[in-house]
Amino acid sequence: MAATDIAPLIREVTHSPAIPSSTDTVTVTAKVQDELPAGLSVVLHYRDEGDPTFNTATMFDDGLHGDDRPGDGVFGGQIGARPDRTIVEFYVEASDTGGLNRSWPL
């Protein structure tokens, strides 16, 4: 029997600019889909290389966070500027109203 509720799908994750300067805020976007899109929660987790703790930023589908248009399924979140040559690791996590989660990369 097929499941009627699966964890949200996360696709097309990008960050811009590709090579940021020390004054650039980095915008991360992800296309997130679920069979019940209302109530999706999408979070960006990020840390500077070597730091054991991830910071979090809520990602929005409101057209105001580098995510193009409101309600289009593309969520955007931002990482503040970092000192020159800082390597930042990140992943995206999505949760639906059924309590199912998925992260990218897996």
Side-chain angles (χ1 to χ4, degrees), residues 8-9 32-34 36-42 59 73 75 94-97:
L9 298 175
V32 181
Q33 294 175 277
D34 194 60
L36 298 171
L40 274 176
S41 171
V42 184
M59 297 179 74
F75 288 73
S95 303
D96 67 13
T97 56

Side-chain angles (χ1 to χ4, degrees), residues 61-95:
D61 182 12
D62 60 4
L64 302 174
H65 294 85
D67 59 301
D68 204 20
R69 296 182 320 264
D72 63 358
V74 177
F75 288 73
Q78 281 133 0
I79 300 171
R82 295 287 194 268
D84 199 26
R85 299 182 190 258
T86 301
I87 296 173
V88 177
E89 303 168 318
F90 73 89
Y91 69 95
V92 175
E93 180 179 32
S95 303

Side-chain angles (χ1 to χ4, degrees), residues 16-39:
S16 178
I19 303 175
S21 73
S22 61
T23 60
D24 290 331
T25 295
V26 174
T27 299
V28 177
T29 59
K31 177 86 173 172
V32 181
Q33 294 175 277
D34 194 60
E35 65 278 347
L36 298 171

